[in-house]
Amino acid sequence: NDFYSSADGLPSEYVTGVTEDEKSGSAWIAHQKGFSCIYQNRIFNFSYPNAPSICAKIEVKSDSLWVINNGVFLYKIFYDNRPHLKALKKWDPGWRPDDFVDYITHSQIDSRGTMFLNKYSYGLFYTTSNGSLRKIHEAGLISFFIDRDELWTGGALSGVEKWKIIHDQDSLRLQLVQRFSQLPDNFIRTIVKDSAGNLWMGTVYKGVLKFEKQKNNSFIVRNYNSREGLSNPWVLKIVINQDGEIFV
């Protein structure tokens, strides 16, 4: 194992995101003071385009780098003796810097290439081709999941909602399909889907909820908590591997 810290040139050890560029063998890291690239065992540092953040995300897709930090910023990556970035596009709404309460949970891209971005105290937004962010859901969401033309949302206390995404040229709207409010825990922290169409959701107090899909497209909700052997009911992340195993 290699360890990279402030002694090696990393400006901050408060790391909130790591992504790999497999073609170059480099790693891109989001941290409190900016973002960095480890390339050929050297660290190269970059500043955020707007303001420092404690909850930034970063992701490499092909030769592009996405940085989410109170907005969305898209770069093209170049390498020679060191990594270089060319700014391609930005969606900068001028939000104030994050704090521990007001965080960006994550982003997702739907089947048409529209990016969705959630910020807890501002709402759920989507990106447009003219570089703006448009609000599509009110504030208070903790998690969301996009499944083709469907959107699943989880709130701090509001439970789970299923929406249909309706596109209209460069705009879209949501149509509520179903609301699930009588759950063992209505604080939904993360949502993933398995290959059988079941949704798995992590909660703060009651472990894992499984929305088991039925033949008529309805769902049976099952709860996996300490009684079923879960060592801790506070679930922040769920990952499903290629073998269908679920890691919580």
Side-chain angles (χ1 to χ4, degrees):
N1 295 322
D2 295 321
F3 179 64
Y4 299 91
S5 68
S6 57
D8 306 291
L10 202 63
S12 172
E13 296 180 3
Y14 194 119
V15 175
T16 58
V18 177
T19 183
E20 180 186 8
D21 186 345
E22 295 183 355
K23 291 183 179 180
S24 68
S26 64
W28 290 85
I29 302 163
H31 49 74
Q32 191 171 10
K33 294 184 178 179
F35 58 101
S36 302
C37 178
I38 300 177
Y39 178 59
Q40 296 180 348
N41 209 33
R42 297 170 60 195
I43 296 179
F44 301 89
N45 300 314
F46 301 84
S47 299
Y48 288 125
N50 45 13
S53 172
I54 66 164
C55 203
K57 308 297 180 185
I58 194 166
E59 186 171 3
V60 170
K61 289 184 178 293
S62 184
D63 61 351
S64 298
L65 179 72
W66 294 85
V67 177
I68 302 173
N69 173 60
N70 303 312
V72 183
F73 302 88
L74 175 62
Y75 300 91
K76 184 176 176 64
I77 309 173
F78 301 91
Y79 297 95
D80 41 45
N81 293 327
R82 58 171 295 154
H84 300 276
L85 294 176
K86 178 183 178 182
L88 298 179
K89 210 161 190 178
K90 67 177 182 178
W91 296 266
D92 187 1
W95 289 326
R96 65 176 178 80
D98 289 325
D99 54 37
F100 282 106
V101 176
D102 185 18
Y103 49 83
I104 296 175
T105 53
H106 64 295
S107 65
Q108 286 191 23
I109 299 176
D110 71 3
S111 59
R112 300 196 184 192
T114 302
M115 175 175 279
F116 291 73
L117 175 71
N118 181 54
K119 189 172 174 65
Y120 176 75
S121 70
Y122 284 80
L124 179 65
F125 295 77
Y126 68 93
T127 57
T128 65
S129 59
N130 64 5
S132 64
L133 286 172
R134 292 183 184 173
K135 189 173 182 177
I136 195 171
H137 193 285
E138 295 302 317
L141 292 182
I142 298 294
S143 57
F144 72 94
F145 177 79
I146 295 174
D147 183 18
R148 295 185 296 274
D149 64 344
E150 292 181 349
L151 171 71
W152 291 78
T153 58
L157 294 172
S158 57
V160 176
E161 294 172 329
K162 178 183 177 183
W163 307 83
K164 181 176 178 61
I165 303 173
I166 301 174
H167 286 266
D168 182 16
Q169 296 180 348
D170 196 33
S171 65
L172 56 86
R173 59 186 175 88
L174 298 179
Q175 178 181 326
L176 182 63
V177 177
Q178 192 171 359
R179 180 178 284 115
F180 303 85
S181 57
Q182 301 300 318
L183 299 172
D185 186 354
N186 285 323
F187 198 126
I188 308 300
R189 187 64 181 82
T190 183
I191 306 173
V192 297
K193 183 182 178 183
D194 65 21
S195 59
N198 307 309
L199 288 114
W200 298 79
M201 306 185 188
T203 73
V204 172
Y205 304 108
K206 297 294 183 179
V208 176
L209 303 179
K210 178 187 180 183
F211 280 61
E212 192 172 290
K213 191 172 184 178
Q214 306 301 298
K215 292 182 178 180
N216 60 355
N217 285 328
S218 64
F219 293 88
I220 294 176
V221 180
R222 305 188 187 278
N223 185 207
Y224 297 88
N225 203 348
S226 56
R227 180 179 298 177
E228 288 72 33
L230 196 65
S231 59
N232 193 309
W234 187 17
V235 177
L236 295 178
K237 183 87 171 176
I238 300 175
V239 176
I240 304 176
N241 68 9
Q242 294 180 348
D243 297 326
E245 296 174 321
I246 300 169
F247 293 82
V248 176

